[in-house]
Amino acid sequence: MSYAPILAIVIIVILITLFILLLRKDRVDELRTKLIEDALWVEQNLFFQLRTHEENVERLAQEISKGQDPDVLLTRLQHVKDIHPELQIISWFDVQRDEPLTLPRGYNAQSPTNPLPRFKSWFPARKDDQLNEVLVDFQAPIFGANNQPTGLLRTSLSLNQLLTSQIPWWVAGQYEIVLVDNNSDRVIARRVNTALKTSELSYSMSVDPPLHGVRLQLKPYTSGSTSTQTLLIIVIVGLAIFAIISLLVQYYYARKRQQAEQALLDEQNFRRAMENSMTTGMRARDLNGRILYVNPAFCQLVGWKADEIIGLSPPMPWWPPDMVNETLDRHYQQNRMPTAQSFETRFQHRDGSILDIQVHEAPLINNQGRHMGWMGSIIDISSRKAQEERTSQQAEQLQKTAHLMSMGEVASTLAHELNQPLSAVASYAAGCLNLLEDGETISHDDLRSGLESLAAQNRRAGEIVRRTNDFVRKRDPLLKLEELRPIILDSLSFIHNELLKHKVRTTLDLPEANLYVMADRIMIEQVLFNLLRNALEALKNQPMDQRKIDINVQTRGQHALIAVSDQGPGVAADMVPLLFQPFSTNKTNGMGIGLNICRSIIELHRGTLWYETPATHGATFVFTLPLAKHD
Ligand code: ADP
């Protein structure tokens, strides 16, 4: 913000004020000079008038002395009085007459002193009660033949009239002119215009002689120019203050505006930065589907530039040709129900590639609360979808592998198991044949018993094959009411040989009452088989006395709780959270998917499978199955 204009205004105001003050001072000096000049002029004028009057009166007195006819003289006196309005009274005293001759007639003039004066003289101003005027008297002696005073001529001048008649109007218009008595300081005559005001200036000078103890005083009238100037200064200063205040206000608002603009700019930049860095595509469209706004992520997604996109109306170039109708339908549908919605669709990139897209759309509401279109966020979910696809394929593959693995295990178990009944069948058959070949009478019973045993072993072998077949065959789960005990025993029998081989003892702790569950028998057997096999593997390298697996079955509420515990090394703490995740194994030949599959199977049966660290050592895997009623 620049203060230069304010400074300029202040300087201008100071200069103008100085100028006016200088002007005023000049004017005062000028006025004073003029006042003195005019005062001198007035004084001179008065002086001259009074001297002229003096001469006139002396001349008249001389003329009287020479024996002028009194009537003619009176006429002359009257004439003099008429042309000099200030001349109020004329008195002629003569020793020959008792009464003086006076104009105006009947004026009671004061008698002259005795003896009569020989010299002319002026008297101090006096208040005359008869005429009610301040008068000043002048008298001149009249001499007789022997040069003795025989009378005198006295005139009385009105000082007010003197000022009125002897001071021209152009002077009187400029000054208040007064005569002041020096003794009493009282104004005794004045020429004043009361309508005008006087200034502080004044000038006075003595008019003595001829007027005893009187001074003339002039005061110029104010022209009004000083007050105009003061007013002017006040107005200028006021205007300057106003200008400064309005400038400051302007500055204040300009600054505010600047700040607001800066904030707006920052905000815009921030938004732009946000927009540009956003990985989610944003798109706004009006109710007709016309594009109002897209962000850079959207442009990148579809391969068109923002200025190519904005203003486009459906069908959009990124709609796959086979989806145009479907997309249009959805647009119309959406407008009918303006609520936020989310859907999946497909976009075709400009380069022709197809993208899987997740769209979240919300109604675009303007300031007046009117629904004016839609604001959508667009996410490319192609890679997620592909990943999902891959994972599901992988899981399927895994299932198959697991199954094959189990099959491998089962096959070896089968071989072991079949070995026994088959060799028994062979030996029973050989025994029976021997009996026949010996030629001895063989009892029916012996033969029957031999053949029965043979048939039994055969059945056993058949049973083993059937069970293995069931186990290996891939099929959908089939939940049936099953008793728990035979399932556990069957599972144990699968791994029986292995257990024997590694001298692992097993205990089975089951409640007295038969427990029934709704289960796919083969699947539960698969779970138990897995848990037993893991336990067995954990025990292989353990000391003989610790090679023990405990199977414990309990009921808890509406569930059967089956726990498989071993005395092995247990599961390392860092392995525990990973146990049920696929491919988490610490075995060289392990796949790490067994437990994962087991958990899926148990959850399919609405049960749960978890790992427990036993108080001592080893590992315990527990699963629950909802109990079923058997009637
Ligand atoms: P795999 O047996 O192929 O490794 P599993 O999912 O069945 O796959 O087991 C995952 C891992 O859990 C095993 O590698 C092993 O480290 C651990 N594990 C499972 N059961 C036990 C057990 N009873 N004792 C110790 N570790 C076990």
Side-chain angles (χ1 to χ4, degrees):
M1 162 165 142
S2 159
Y3 287 98
I6 293 180
L7 200 69
I9 290 176
V10 170
I11 290 172
I12 288 173
V13 168
I14 290 173
L15 287 179
I16 290 178
T17 313
L18 275 178
F19 178 71
I20 290 174
L21 288 177
L22 274 177
L23 218 66
R24 200 172 179 176
K25 190 175 173 309
D26 280 1
R27 176 135 179 79
V28 168
D29 290 349
E30 208 176 281
L31 261 179
R32 185 180 297 281
T33 315
K34 192 168 172 306
L35 168 67
I36 294 169
E37 280 172 3
D38 287 348
L40 279 172
W41 187 86
V42 170
E43 189 260 350
Q44 286 295 311
N45 195 31
L46 281 180
F47 188 78
F48 174 74
Q49 291 301 328
L50 290 171
R51 283 281 174 243
T52 311
H53 179 72
E54 212 178 299
E55 280 167 16
N56 284 343
V57 174
E58 272 181 320
R59 201 166 39 244
L60 274 170
Q62 280 170 12
E63 280 175 20
I64 293 170
S65 302
K66 285 176 192 162
Q68 182 73 261
D69 178 9
D71 286 336
V72 175
L73 199 72
L74 262 181
T75 318
R76 273 193 62 195
L77 286 176
Q78 186 62 53
H79 180 68
V80 170
K81 190 173 177 296
D82 286 347
I83 57 173
H84 290 288
E86 67 273 18
L87 183 56
Q88 296 286 304
I89 307 157
I90 304 175
S91 319
W92 175 15
F93 297 93
D94 197 312
V95 284
Q96 315 266 301
R97 272 197 307 273
D98 292 342
E99 288 290 312
L101 270 176
T102 58
L103 280 176
R105 286 180 194 281
Y107 177 77
N108 191 7
Q110 201 186 356
S111 301
T113 52
N114 199 9
L116 287 169
R118 296 186 63 85
F119 303 103
K120 61 178 177 183
S121 60
W122 284 95
F123 293 86
R126 63 179 174 88
K127 176 85 199 284
D128 185 274
D129 294 330
Q130 291 172 62
L131 295 182
N132 199 20
E133 281 271 9
V134 176
L135 302 176
V136 63
D137 298 332
F138 172 74
Q139 62 184 29
I142 301 170
F143 293 97
N146 54 358
N147 210 17
Q148 284 302 310
T150 57
L152 61 86
L153 195 60
R154 186 190 290 157
T155 55
S156 300
L157 300 179
S158 156
L159 290 180
N160 273 327
Q161 284 297 329
L162 185 72
L163 293 184
T164 310
S165 61
Q166 295 310 326
I167 296 174
W169 60 267
W170 67 86
V171 179
Q174 294 178 59
Y175 304 100
E176 178 193 275
I177 302 166
V178 292
L179 290 172
V180 182
D181 180 47
N182 280 339
N183 291 332
S184 62
D185 253 347
R186 291 240 309 272
V187 171
I188 50 175
R190 67 192 75 210
R191 175 99 186 252
V192 173
N193 186 345
T194 45
L196 298 176
K197 276 192 182 157
T198 52
S199 77
E200 303 286 294
L201 284 177
S202 78
Y203 190 78
S204 52
M205 60 198 308
S206 175
V207 279
D208 179 5
L211 299 179
H212 294 288
V214 174
R215 68 175 193 268
L216 171 74
Q217 182 179 299
L218 269 76
K219 271 190 181 180
Y221 293 120
T222 49
S223 57
S225 65
T226 27
S227 52
T228 314
Q229 282 168 4
T230 316
L231 197 73
L232 208 65
I233 292 178
I234 292 172
V235 168
I236 288 171
V237 171
L239 276 176
I241 291 172
F242 177 74
I244 290 172
I245 290 175
S246 43
L247 255 177
L248 286 174
V249 169
Q250 286 278 336
Y251 277 141
Y252 174 74
Y253 282 111
R255 191 136 142 208
K256 278 238 151 183
R257 201 174 45 230
Q258 216 174 14
Q259 280 172 351
E261 277 170 5
Q262 189 56 45
L264 201 73
L265 205 71
D266 288 350
E267 166 105 12
Q268 261 179 7
N269 289 342
F270 177 63
R271 272 170 193 270
R272 190 159 306 135
M274 259 184 0
E275 259 178 52
N276 293 348
S277 63
M278 209 144 95
T279 50
T280 308
M282 300 295 289
R283 171 202 63 188
R285 56 187 175 87
D286 67 13
L287 289 175
N288 298 323
R290 205 169 58 88
I291 302 286
L292 304 172
Y293 162 83
V294 286
N295 73 343
F298 184 88
C299 298
Q300 218 171 1
L301 209 71
V302 293
W304 268 272
K305 292 205 188 86
D307 50 1
E308 293 173 318
I309 297 176
I310 290 169
L312 284 185
S313 291
M316 299 302 173
W318 52 85
W319 291 359
D322 58 327
M323 287 183 72
V324 169
N325 288 340
E326 184 190 322
T327 316
L328 273 177
D329 282 352
R330 190 176 45 237
H331 274 197
Y332 300 137
Q333 201 75 33
Q334 263 183 321
N335 283 350
R336 255 175 261 143
M337 206 174 55
T339 51
Q341 38 200 289
S342 171
F343 53 87
E344 282 184 17
T345 182
R346 285 206 307 277
F347 277 5
Q348 188 167 23
H349 190 271
R350 202 172 192 172
D351 65 12
S353 56
I354 296 287
L355 307 166
D356 284 302
I357 295 293
Q358 171 83 50
V359 182
H360 295 282
E361 283 213 303
L364 199 61
I365 308 293
N366 70 3
N367 289 347
Q368 285 87 47
R370 201 168 60 82
H371 176 210
M372 55 173 290
W374 295 89
M375 185 75 207
S377 72
I378 286 97
I379 303 167
D380 179 6
I381 54 166
S382 308
S383 51
R384 196 184 84 199
K385 280 234 151 187
Q387 181 62 35
E388 274 172 14
E389 182 70 13
R390 269 199 301 279
T391 314
S392 88
Q393 278 173 4
Q394 236 166 21
E396 202 172 305
Q397 198 60 39
L398 273 175
Q399 292 272 18
K400 274 186 199 157
T401 319
H403 207 73
L404 283 175
M405 273 175 26
S406 310
M407 258 168 60
E409 306 240 6
V410 168
S412 72
T413 312
L414 183 67
H416 273 290
E417 290 224 12
L418 282 180
N419 214 14
Q420 215 187 355
L422 285 179
S423 40
V425 166
S427 47
Y428 280 124
C432 287
L433 280 174
N434 283 345
L435 280 178
L436 288 173
E437 274 168 20
D438 280 353
E440 288 178 23
T441 50
I442 46 162
S443 74
H444 261 237
D445 287 348
D446 283 350
L447 197 57
R448 177 189 299 272
S449 126
L451 286 175
E452 271 174 359
S453 296
L454 187 146
Q457 288 302 325
N458 202 39
R459 267 203 307 282
R460 191 177 152 205
E463 181 61 21
I464 289 170
V465 171
R466 183 194 59 74
R467 227 169 44 198
T468 311
N469 194 28
D470 278 356
F471 192 83
V472 170
R473 203 172 57 221
K474 188 177 184 303
R475 52 191 193 80
D476 292 331
L478 185 66
L479 301 187
K480 284 199 303 184
L481 190 70
E482 299 279 0
E483 203 194 329
L484 206 49
R485 179 192 296 265
I487 297 180
I488 297 170
L489 291 178
D490 260 6
S491 314
L492 270 170
S493 74
F494 284 136
I495 201 161
H496 181 69
N497 288 334
E498 285 285 297
L499 292 173
L500 272 186
K501 187 170 146 196
H502 293 103
K503 305 204 165 45
V504 177
R505 286 165 292 135
T506 51
T507 65
L508 174 59
D509 187 6
L510 263 166
E512 298 261 312
N514 288 341
L515 299 180
Y516 289 90
V517 288
M518 286 300 287
D520 183 311
R521 182 188 176 118
I522 304 296
M523 282 187 159
I524 301 300
E525 281 177 3
Q526 207 173 339
V527 171
L528 275 165
F529 175 77
N530 245 308
L531 297 180
L532 288 169
R533 193 196 53 192
N534 279 348
L536 172 69
E537 275 169 6
L539 289 172
K540 272 180 188 169
N541 299 320
Q542 293 299 102
M544 281 302 173
D545 58 325
Q546 284 180 20
R547 295 190 186 176
K548 189 163 167 273
I549 299 175
D550 298 313
I551 302 172
N552 182 288
V553 182
Q554 292 175 23
T555 55
R556 188 164 298 171
Q558 295 301 305
H559 285 83
L561 202 95
I562 302 107
V564 180
S565 318
D566 62 61
Q567 306 279 306
V571 180
D574 56 344
M575 183 73 187
V576 174
L578 307 172
L579 272 178
F580 296 96
Q581 286 180 17
F583 311 114
S584 49
T585 178
N586 56 8
K587 299 173 191 164
T588 42
N589 58 348
M591 283 285 287
I593 52 166
L595 287 175
N596 177 254
I597 294 170
C598 289
R599 178 171 268 185
S600 310
I601 291 174
I602 296 300
E603 283 169 2
L604 191 82
H605 286 77
R606 285 179 288 117
T608 41
L609 167 62
W610 68 94
Y611 168 74
E612 268 178 18
T613 315
T616 52
H617 61 285
T620 301
F621 287 85
V622 188
F623 67 89
T624 60
L625 287 173
L627 287 170
K629 280 231 165 69
H630 175 69
D631 14 54

